[in-house]
Amino acid sequence: MKKKVVILGAGITGLVSAYYLSEDYDVVVIEKGKSVGGSAAGFKYKDFIMDYGPHKIYSELPGIMDEIEKVVELNKIKKKNSIYLEGNYFEFPLKIQQIMKKMPSKAFKAGWDMFAKSISKKPDDSYENYLINRFGKTMYNLSFRDYAEKVWGSNPKELDKELAKRRVAITGMLDLIKGILFKDTKNISADYFYYPPKGIKQLIDNIVDKIKKNGGRILTNENISEIKIENNMVKDIKIKNGIIKMDYMISTIPLDEFVKYINADEEVLDAASKLRYQKLNILYFILNKPRAMEDSWRFYPEKKLIFQRVSEMKSFSQDVGPEDKTVLMVETIKDVNKELVKKIIEQLEEVGLIKENEIEEYFLKSYDKSYPVYTKGFKEHLSKILEYIEKYENFYSTGRPGLFNYNNMDQCWDMAMKTAEHIKEDKSREDWQETKTYFDKYRIVD
Ligand SMILES: Cc1cc2nc3c(=O)[nH]c(=O)nc-3n(C[C@H](O)[C@H](O)[C@H](O)COP(=O)(O)OP(=O)(O)OC[C@H]3O[C@@H](n4cnc5c(N)ncnc54)[C@H](O)[C@@H]3O)c2cc1C
């Protein structure tokens, strides 16, 4: 008889783990949502296929693109993004020569900062100081400071420098200058990305088909009431329809939820409650014109604008909607009501994206735990939780919420593949600690 693996969460990490294990193991995936895919899910609406926020595919991890291409056909797409600052659009990542041309006084100040920076350097003790030390105050204020508040809902002084290390691929002004002189932007941003013709949903649907073909089961709309531990082993899980015993458990769900199911000690529950996540609201505007912009997405870091990013599904694939219409995805962390939508529409007009009479309809989708927020001190809370749950010898917490790892889909794929390998090859707990140290080194290339 095959050994049983229970996987919590049907996001990309849970599903890909199930895909790699389902040939040799009896796999059950338990998902609380009505559908699968987690933050990489897609959905159909009328004649459109949409992502929950744009999901490009790109990887520098060895072998991962080949693995993804075994599951889904991918189109290679030339990347074109921009950033809106002081009434102008600039290519993104920002290039110094564009600032010199359109905002000469800012370029002068940025240059002065470089000199001042060499005289006084702040301790590298926060997101803010880490970035000021590398870009100077002018560049920091221009493109990073307000954006942090708009995406993570936090004062950048209170954010951990780890967030800057993971999210800002470019390491400083020298990279920007190298980009100008030698056209060397490979550390800053990739020139292209990949995308399935029928949206990210096509990738998720294909993974699900493969799991089912291998006999794996995916239970959606489930409710976990308890997870039982005996002698440092996860024994069984109680869900709506009964109890499932298992040989191994993989958890990809948020740690604050997992520790409640195992009735963890008070101090662990307390540490888990201090890990913060940011909710994201996405407004989908269906427009009665074939295209709205040339870019795949545009960043809006300025505080006065309600939204932080706008993207257009049609620039990912022409096959995700009818020829004569398009859809814009507008991201904000503000609570959305009719009044706010009115203001957003005015601001979308102001930044030159739409005219009000082009809007056919709009609707809202929200995702509660979109972004792990790395507030100062998060590593201490995280270590306390992981130390506690990693005593269980047949248990692996992995993926973005499972390790509170601010990662991308390709990294989730890598994590899922490596977690499955640990089970298949019966690797030691010491090996798992090493693998986790490797997961902590992921950096996102935009
Ligand atoms: C707006 C946005 C844009 C992004 N863009 C990109 C991009 O362009 N490219 C890219 O590569 N990555 C992108 N990412 C990151 C990518 O979406 C994530 O890295 C990835 O989807 C995380 O997958 P996961 O399976 O680890 O976690 P999740 O997707 O969060 O999956 C966890 C699953 O667990 C389920 N769950 C939660 N609690 C419970 C419970 N108690 N019981 C059972 N199930 C539970 C959830 O419903 C969910 O399905 C983006 C993320 C966001 C939010």
Side-chain angles (χ1 to χ4, degrees):
M1 209 167 70
K2 284 179 177 176
K3 286 189 172 174
K4 183 164 228 129
V5 185
V6 168
I7 299 174
L8 309 184
I12 195 150
T13 313
L15 291 175
V16 175
S17 304
Y19 158 58
Y20 285 115
L21 287 166
S22 51
E23 260 185 36
D24 307 314
Y25 294 80
D26 176 11
V27 171
V28 184
V29 183
I30 297 173
E31 164 62 46
K32 81 168 174 189
K34 287 199 188 95
S35 50
V36 300
S39 37
F43 61 97
K44 279 194 173 159
Y45 181 81
K46 295 187 178 169
D47 295 337
F48 291 93
I49 302 167
M50 307 187 189
D51 296 356
Y52 278 113
H55 272 73
K56 69 177 193 319
I57 297 177
Y58 178 77
S59 192
E60 292 187 343
L61 296 170
I64 294 299
M65 286 310 304
D66 292 340
E67 288 298 307
I68 299 176
E69 279 183 287
K70 281 182 198 165
V71 174
V72 75
E73 162 196 4
L74 292 173
N75 291 332
K76 187 173 179 175
I77 295 146
K78 176 118 186 67
K79 198 160 75 185
K80 191 167 175 336
N81 305 323
S82 50
I83 183 167
Y84 184 81
L85 296 167
E86 300 188 355
N88 292 302
Y89 282 104
F90 297 90
E91 238 178 86
F92 186 83
L94 269 174
K95 296 195 175 60
I96 283 285
Q97 69 266 46
Q98 302 177 75
I99 305 177
M100 276 165 26
K101 209 163 143 199
K102 291 189 184 168
M103 293 191 281
S105 67
K106 283 269 168 12
F108 176 77
K109 278 191 185 153
W112 168 254
D113 284 352
M114 291 311 288
F115 172 69
K117 197 159 67 79
S118 63
I119 304 169
S120 76
K121 196 169 185 239
K122 297 181 178 206
D124 254 351
D125 59 0
S126 65
Y127 169 91
E128 174 162 295
N129 284 351
Y130 181 90
L131 290 170
I132 290 178
N133 285 338
R134 281 151 188 83
F135 293 92
K137 200 150 187 161
T138 309
M139 287 298 282
Y140 168 76
N141 288 349
L142 201 60
S143 54
F144 301 113
R145 185 192 57 195
D146 297 345
Y147 196 68
E149 283 195 30
K150 288 177 82 170
V151 178
W152 303 299
S154 298
N155 178 342
K157 289 184 178 31
E158 301 305 321
L159 291 171
D160 200 283
K161 70 171 178 197
E162 184 69 18
L163 189 58
K165 279 178 153 179
R166 292 208 187 189
R167 287 300 298 141
V168 184
I170 173 173
T171 55
M173 287 291 275
L174 275 179
D175 268 352
L176 284 177
I177 292 162
K178 231 165 62 179
I180 303 172
L181 295 179
F182 308 111
K183 300 209 177 313
D184 173 10
T185 52
K186 70 178 182 306
N187 291 326
I188 303 173
S189 156
D191 294 335
Y192 55 88
F193 63 88
Y194 296 90
Y195 195 70
K198 297 281 179 190
I200 212 64
K201 184 177 184 309
Q202 190 177 5
L203 170 68
I204 298 292
D205 288 349
N206 289 5
I207 304 171
V208 168
D209 285 349
K210 294 208 179 279
I211 297 168
K212 289 192 175 160
K213 219 181 238 167
N214 289 339
R217 282 184 299 148
I218 301 170
L219 312 178
T220 49
N221 216 2
E222 262 306 343
N223 202 352
I224 303 169
S225 42
E226 196 184 354
I227 295 171
K228 206 186 260 169
I229 315 287
E230 263 176 37
N231 301 326
N232 277 344
M233 299 283 279
V234 182
K235 280 286 159 204
D236 59 50
I237 180 167
K238 202 168 170 188
I239 53 170
K240 267 197 231 157
N241 293 325
I243 292 176
I244 306 176
K245 290 190 181 306
M246 73 201 79
D247 298 286
Y248 300 96
M249 174 177 271
I250 295 176
S251 173
T252 71
I253 67 175
L255 288 160
D256 58 330
E257 297 183 42
F258 180 77
V259 292
K260 283 184 194 149
Y261 301 138
I262 56 166
N263 293 311
D265 291 349
E266 206 51 52
E267 58 166 4
V268 176
L269 294 175
D270 181 56
S273 71
K274 288 180 177 142
L275 295 182
R276 208 169 81 64
Y277 295 88
Q278 181 58 53
K279 176 179 174 176
L280 179 68
N281 296 312
I282 304 175
L283 275 160
Y284 294 78
F285 288 95
I286 297 182
L287 307 178
N288 59 16
K289 60 180 179 182
R291 288 296 299 267
M293 60 186 187
E294 282 176 20
D295 298 281
S296 298
W297 58 91
R298 290 180 174 174
F299 294 106
Y300 296 89
E302 288 166 347
K303 224 176 193 163
K304 64 175 184 188
L305 296 170
I306 297 160
F307 41 87
Q308 63 258 25
R309 183 165 67 156
V310 177
S311 47
E312 185 170 13
M313 295 286 334
K314 280 249 194 110
S315 64
F316 287 65
S317 169
Q318 285 293 332
D319 299 341
V320 294
E323 257 176 48
D324 56 340
K325 289 180 190 166
T326 191
V327 60
L328 282 186
M329 291 183 283
V330 178
E331 298 170 39
T332 180
I333 62 167
K334 294 239 179 339
D335 291 335
V336 177
N337 54 33
K338 270 201 168 152
E339 194 50 37
L340 194 92
V341 175
K342 200 168 154 256
K343 280 195 199 140
I344 288 180
I345 293 171
E346 279 166 21
Q347 293 189 345
L348 288 171
E349 291 205 30
E350 189 186 315
V351 300
L353 274 177
I354 59 169
K355 292 194 183 75
E356 194 173 355
N357 63 5
E358 292 167 348
I359 302 172
E360 249 181 34
E361 59 175 306
Y362 69 84
F363 58 89
L364 171 72
K365 294 264 180 192
S366 300
Y367 196 74
D368 276 344
K369 290 183 173 166
S370 253
Y371 299 111
V373 182
Y374 285 180
T375 45
K376 278 183 179 174
F378 84 97
K379 278 189 183 164
E380 222 177 278
H381 307 310
L382 183 59
S383 304
K384 191 171 274 171
I385 304 160
L386 294 180
E387 228 169 77
Y388 188 86
I389 61 179
E390 285 182 343
K391 298 186 300 254
Y392 313 145
E393 289 161 24
N394 59 343
F395 173 75
Y396 304 86
S397 196
T398 189
R400 176 149 145 151
L403 283 175
F404 204 64
N405 186 309
Y406 203 136
N407 65 7
N408 258 357
M409 290 183 299
D410 62 310
Q411 294 157 341
C412 290
W413 197 292
D414 192 47
M415 288 170 121
M417 215 162 102
K418 294 203 162 41
T419 308
E421 251 168 48
H422 270 267
I423 292 180
K424 284 184 178 176
E425 296 170 19
D426 198 18
K427 290 190 179 176
S428 69
R429 297 312 282 178
E430 289 73 32
D431 277 342
W432 178 242
Q433 292 308 323
E434 243 176 70
T435 304
K436 281 199 320 149
T437 311
Y438 160 81
F439 294 159
D440 284 339
K441 295 195 178 117
Y442 291 146
R443 297 286 173 265
I444 291 180
V445 178
D446 267 321

